[in-house]
Amino acid sequence: MIKIYDDVFHLTDGKFSYAFFVRGGKLIHSYFGRAVKCDETSLAGSVIADGKNENTGADAALFEFPEQGRCDFRAPCIAAETDKTISTDFRYKGYEILSSKPDFGMPALRYGGETLAVRLYDDVLGAELSLYYTVYDGGLARRAELKNCSKEPVRLNKFLSACADFPQGNYDLINICGRWGAEFNPVRSAATQGVKTFCSSRGVTSHQHNPFVCAVKPDTSEEAGDAYGFNLIYSGNFTVECELDEKSQLRINLGATLGGIVLQPSEVFSTPEAVLVYSHGGIGGMSRKFHALFNNYLINPAFANKPRPVVLNSWESCYFDFDEKKLFKFIDDAGNLGIDMIVLDDGWFGKRNSDTCSLGDWFVNRQKLPSGLKAVSERCKARGMQFGIWFEPEAISPVSELFKKHPEWALHVEGREGAQMRNQLALDFSLSEVVDYIYGAMAEIIEECSPAYIKWDMNRPLSDISSPHKYVGFVKGMYSLYERLTENYPQVLIEGCSSGGGRFDAGILYYSPLIWTSDDTDAYRRAKIQYGASLVYPLQTLSNHVSVCPNHQTGRTLPFKTRGAVASLGCLGYELDVGKLTKEEREQVKEQIKDYKKSAALILKGDLFRLASPYEGGGAFCEEVVSKDKSQAYVVYVRGLVEPNLPLPRIHLRGLEENALYRVEERGAQVFGSDLMYGGLRPQPECCDFGAEILHITKIA
Ligand code: DGJ
């Protein structure tokens, strides 16, 4: 709901409030937090508007969209430049309430209703700045748009999506960082005077940082206290800046890093959308808000909140080493286990027998697969499964037919040889002819073998950039390919991937309802990764596979049950040669899948409670998913290393009805919600390192 009284703007869903007002032509931010009335009665006496009468200097004021060069010396959201000036002075001109959220050509939360557009103008720059706000049930979507109304070009050195200025106080920051095979480590640190920046300059989101930050009070815990979450719906270079000033006021800015793109006269540039959420239910409460927003408003509605197929992916069992005979056996062995989809990973095209060649040559390798992909797809169908296929659309190998024909299609700087990573280059997706060609090549394969699933990989951060426009152009080109594929092949489920979780962001989730969370399939390490990812991203977006032991990434051996239990917290799949499993393991696969399918609706749609953090104490991991009506819960517990003669600490369930009676299936017990939550349960995992326990809990009265 958008309420406006006397130049005070109050945006609220009834649970959070966000407010700012106009003072001296400037937008002053006044409140973000638990819902307040902020109506005509309380306005004059409330801090939300009485700042209108204060005359805080620019150096200390809380701004709605801070600028460079006008006596606010903290990090700005906009830094624009012409021949005349490197400062801006946008003044309030008015506002409009739009009946629905305007489409601005980039992924954003869907179904946006009433949208507030605040217009500001800088006479010297000759530019109009519009700030857009849409309230969702559970959060606020924000973005900014600049129109160059002058006759001169304007260079945008910085133009972020959103800012939140917090009043004086003590704050902690939580960000997510990592590396290949170890994404999504949550880091909590005290905000101290200065600027802390989390960013990517890799052209893609990156394994290193995620476009997310959460500000909390020092006493905020997993389940209680104020938590303010920020996330960007974008898949390229980004900046998240957190500045604590000398008065202990915290500023959080976030948006795409533009690095000097030029806006020609009459041109309009929109930032990507940022999503802001507030919860007084702690960090877990913030996560549940993001999950609900993304499940209901971001993910492609054709797949949102629906069961995902149980996939068997060929990568870890075959890598590049397969032919038709081996692949057919791989498919045959998977029949009758409950697997829904065989996904043929890298290696099926061009001359691709290693990672040294053929990216861009999207035609089947007839030496490996003489009967073609259609035969592979039909083999899957004949065994009662669907077929999925891997692409890396944005990549090109210097050793490829495509590169021979179109070396200029790789991102490059004239006169310089392109730097290589994993023996490959990135295509220049800012060029529509490149995207058109790749679309055509993919469409031909799709027509040939009718896959129900595509794994879209991206293993190449961008380098050899000739202009800052290439970065944004690349991301927009990539989104346009997604648009065409999802529009023309709406039945195809596209799994995102980028060397694991290197491009796990809300921009990709708009098109890909699930993303391969990490190349690390070691269930213990993976539990940590999934735990961190779940700070922002819902379980229905986490693609997780059970793989063989010793694990290919860590060499560790974990119980089969643990591997299944961890993978079940999201979209369950397998990444092993089922033909090599023992009879007992095959039975376990069957059981795991049967059990998963029984609980999948609950796991994918329920509320997530993180009960034990693998980053703390003895390293135990415990997550619980509770159905929206509180009638069912699914709990996965994984212990750390076994400690002799030390009972495992109790876990306290959450989110149940205190007075309802629940059956804990595995314990054969009937227990009240209050007892499960406040009394707790002693975990009973297998007695070995990383042993797991799974609990199914159902309300009976
Ligand atoms: C990186 C992905 O993360 C893997 O799962 C696999 O698809 C390989 N690329 C294939 O090259």
Side-chain angles (χ1 to χ4, degrees):
M1 190 188 297
I2 302 166
K3 301 180 189 174
I4 302 163
Y5 305 111
D6 189 21
D7 284 352
V8 177
F9 297 83
H10 176 202
L11 307 159
T12 180
D13 72 343
K15 296 189 194 77
F16 80 86
S17 284
Y18 183 99
F20 58 94
F21 55 76
V22 185
R23 187 183 71 199
K26 292 297 193 189
L27 294 185
I28 304 294
H29 177 77
S30 69
Y31 182 75
F32 182 27
R34 202 162 177 164
V36 290
K37 288 259 184 317
C38 185
D39 63 6
E40 285 115 326
T41 326
S42 62
L43 211 52
S46 135
V47 72
I48 291 163
D50 71 357
K52 284 179 96 174
N53 307 315
E54 289 176 357
N55 206 8
T56 326
D59 206 8
L62 306 184
F63 283 106
E64 194 50 25
F65 202 77
E67 309 166 82
Q68 172 172 284
R70 294 285 293 175
C71 294
D72 170 11
F73 300 101
R74 291 159 291 176
C77 270
I78 184 165
E81 179 183 342
T82 65
D83 287 347
K84 277 190 284 198
T85 177
I86 61 161
S87 63
T88 62
D89 187 11
F90 284 98
R91 303 255 149 192
Y92 177 70
K93 285 284 168 227
Y95 73 87
E96 280 172 76
I97 306 269
L98 312 172
S99 56
S100 65
K101 189 170 161 187
D103 180 4
F104 60 102
M106 278 209 260
L109 294 187
R110 299 165 200 264
Y111 317 122
E114 255 190 5
T115 295
L116 170 67
V118 181
R119 314 279 182 205
L120 303 108
Y121 202 83
D122 182 329
D123 291 326
V124 172
L125 201 67
E128 185 185 64
L129 172 66
S130 299
L131 304 181
Y132 292 93
Y133 300 81
T134 311
V135 178
Y136 284 84
D137 179 16
L140 179 67
R142 278 191 66 175
R143 73 181 171 96
E145 199 173 84
L146 195 75
K147 180 170 183 191
N148 182 358
C149 308
S150 77
K151 296 202 165 53
E152 308 299 327
V154 173
R155 182 181 292 275
L156 280 174
N157 293 324
K158 194 174 181 189
F159 187 38
L160 302 181
S161 303
C163 166
D165 264 352
F166 290 88
Q168 207 169 38
N170 292 322
Y171 299 95
D172 283 355
L173 300 169
I174 300 169
N175 67 298
I176 298 173
C177 64
R179 56 186 187 277
W180 174 85
E183 300 88 340
F184 292 113
N185 301 301
V187 178
R188 181 172 179 159
S189 57
T192 51
Q193 193 172 326
V195 186
K196 214 175 227 180
T197 305
F198 312 111
C199 63
S200 168
S201 52
R202 295 172 180 252
V204 290
T205 311
S206 88
H207 295 83
Q208 286 70 15
H209 295 286
N210 203 263
F212 156 80
V213 74
C214 170
V216 293
K217 299 282 168 56
D219 61 356
T220 299
S221 66
E222 177 65 19
E223 288 304 331
D226 290 329
Y228 304 85
F230 301 81
N231 190 238
L232 190 66
I233 307 183
Y234 190 62
S235 311
N237 288 341
F238 70 86
T239 303
V240 177
E241 279 169 336
C242 312
E243 176 165 9
L244 193 77
D245 71 9
E246 70 282 8
K247 300 171 183 72
S248 293
Q249 303 184 120
L250 177 67
R251 168 169 295 174
I252 292 187
N253 293 333
L254 77 162
T257 317
L258 302 182
I261 63 168
V262 175
L263 215 56
Q264 296 299 340
S266 317
E267 242 190 290
V268 177
F269 181 85
S270 173
T271 69
E273 187 169 271
V275 182
L276 282 62
V277 309
Y278 163 78
S279 170
H280 62 269
I283 303 158
M286 173 209 64
S287 299
R288 288 185 287 280
K289 297 250 174 193
F290 273 126
H291 297 174
L293 278 172
F294 290 173
N295 288 345
N296 298 329
Y297 303 112
L298 181 72
I299 296 169
N300 179 349
F303 300 102
N305 299 315
K306 306 219 170 97
R308 304 273 190 260
V310 174
V311 158
L312 173 63
N313 178 297
S314 66
W315 181 240
E316 280 200 20
S317 44
C318 304
Y319 294 106
F320 297 103
D321 179 20
F322 59 87
D323 57 17
E324 195 166 274
K325 191 169 163 225
K326 187 168 170 187
L327 193 58
F328 280 5
K329 178 167 183 318
F330 181 77
I331 295 166
D332 295 350
D333 288 340
N336 300 323
L337 290 176
I339 284 164
D340 301 305
M341 179 89 61
I342 298 287
V343 176
L344 177 55
D345 209 283
D346 199 350
W348 58 266
F349 54 92
K351 297 189 175 117
R352 185 92 166 158
N353 294 317
S354 70
D355 65 9
T356 55
C357 69
S358 297
L359 292 165
D361 296 346
W362 301 114
F363 42 85
V364 68
N365 180 335
R366 291 266 168 191
Q367 264 165 0
K368 276 181 169 172
L369 304 173
S371 319
L373 288 171
K374 192 157 184 230
V376 180
S377 172
E378 278 171 358
R379 187 79 170 203
C380 295
K381 283 181 198 135
R383 301 287 175 272
M385 294 171 289
Q386 290 178 300
F387 174 63
I389 190 156
W390 180 96
F391 286 99
E392 190 174 348
E394 299 139 278
I396 180 166
S397 304
V399 182
S400 66
E401 296 303 313
L402 187 64
F403 192 76
K404 261 191 231 154
K405 255 194 249 151
H406 287 294
E408 78 287 4
W409 280 5
L411 280 170
H412 69 285
V413 172
E414 261 339 303
R416 206 180 275 160
E417 200 183 319
Q420 292 186 32
M421 272 177 97
R422 207 195 186 207
N423 309 305
Q424 65 191 73
L425 306 168
L427 282 166
D428 185 349
F429 259 43
S430 72
L431 304 175
S432 57
E433 63 268 31
V434 174
V435 178
D436 285 350
Y437 172 81
I438 294 295
Y439 172 77
M442 290 177 80
E444 221 168 282
I445 295 292
I446 297 172
E447 297 291 341
E448 183 188 330
C449 62
S450 321
Y453 193 98
I454 285 176
K455 178 174 171 188
W456 177 325
D457 204 349
M458 166 35 153
N459 297 300
R460 179 63 162 86
L462 309 187
S463 67
D464 299 282
I465 302 296
S466 54
S467 129
H469 290 266
K470 293 287 177 191
Y471 281 121
V472 178
F474 182 95
V475 176
K476 289 191 170 173
M478 180 266 293
Y479 288 152
S480 75
L481 179 60
Y482 256 120
E483 283 286 336
R484 281 170 81 175
L485 287 169
T486 49
E487 202 171 306
N488 295 334
Y489 301 102
Q491 74 286 3
V492 179
L493 175 57
I494 306 180
E495 177 188 25
C497 174
S498 176
S499 307
R503 195 165 64 179
F504 204 125
D505 61 65
I508 297 296
L509 284 180
Y510 181 86
Y511 300 104
S512 274
L514 74 169
I515 300 178
W516 180 229
T517 318
S518 175
D519 275 346
D520 192 340
T521 53
D522 170 314
Y524 183 64
R525 193 61 191 77
R526 183 59 172 249
K528 289 181 147 182
I529 295 168
Q530 291 173 208
Y531 184 96
S534 78
L535 279 185
V536 196
Y537 305 108
L539 294 194
Q540 66 176 265
T541 67
L542 308 185
S543 170
N544 310 321
H545 295 174
V546 175
S547 65
V548 288
C549 281
N551 179 268
H552 289 195
Q553 291 75 38
T554 63
R556 206 167 7 229
T557 294
L558 284 95
F560 206 86
K561 179 171 179 184
T562 304
R563 287 179 262 161
V566 171
S568 75
L569 287 164
C571 312
L572 173 74
Y574 290 80
E575 186 132 349
L576 40 73
D577 188 345
V578 284
K580 290 192 180 138
L581 295 180
T582 61
K583 212 167 148 233
E584 293 73 49
E585 284 170 337
R586 275 182 76 86
E587 283 313 307
Q588 284 192 62
V589 172
K590 270 192 197 165
E591 276 307 303
Q592 279 174 352
I593 297 178
K594 206 167 94 203
D595 189 48
Y596 175 75
K597 288 187 175 169
K598 234 173 38 195
S599 303
L602 161 63
I603 296 168
L604 300 179
K605 293 195 282 187
D607 285 329
L608 176 72
F609 294 86
R610 290 178 293 257
L611 304 185
S613 166
Y615 292 91
E616 288 165 14
F621 162 86
C622 186
E623 286 187 355
E624 174 198 18
V625 191
V626 181
S627 61
K628 297 277 175 201
D629 66 0
K630 298 177 191 291
S631 68
Q632 280 181 295
Y634 178 78
V635 181
V636 168
Y637 179 91
V638 180
R639 70 191 304 162
L641 297 177
V642 173
E643 281 292 328
N645 193 21
L646 189 66
L648 290 168
R650 290 178 195 182
I651 50 165
H652 295 268
L653 302 197
R654 294 190 176 273
L656 303 176
E657 272 177 50
E658 281 182 9
N659 298 322
L661 189 62
Y662 291 89
R663 188 178 57 244
V664 184
E665 211 174 292
E666 288 70 12
R667 302 276 175 96
Q670 297 187 358
V671 193
F672 282 106
S674 55
D675 301 40
L676 289 168
M677 294 194 288
Y678 314 135
L681 272 177
R682 182 87 61 207
Q684 295 173 5
E686 285 180 88
C687 184
C688 59
D689 292 344
F690 313 116
E693 182 181 25
I694 296 178
L695 296 173
H696 296 82
I697 295 167
T698 313
K699 179 174 158 183
I700 48 176

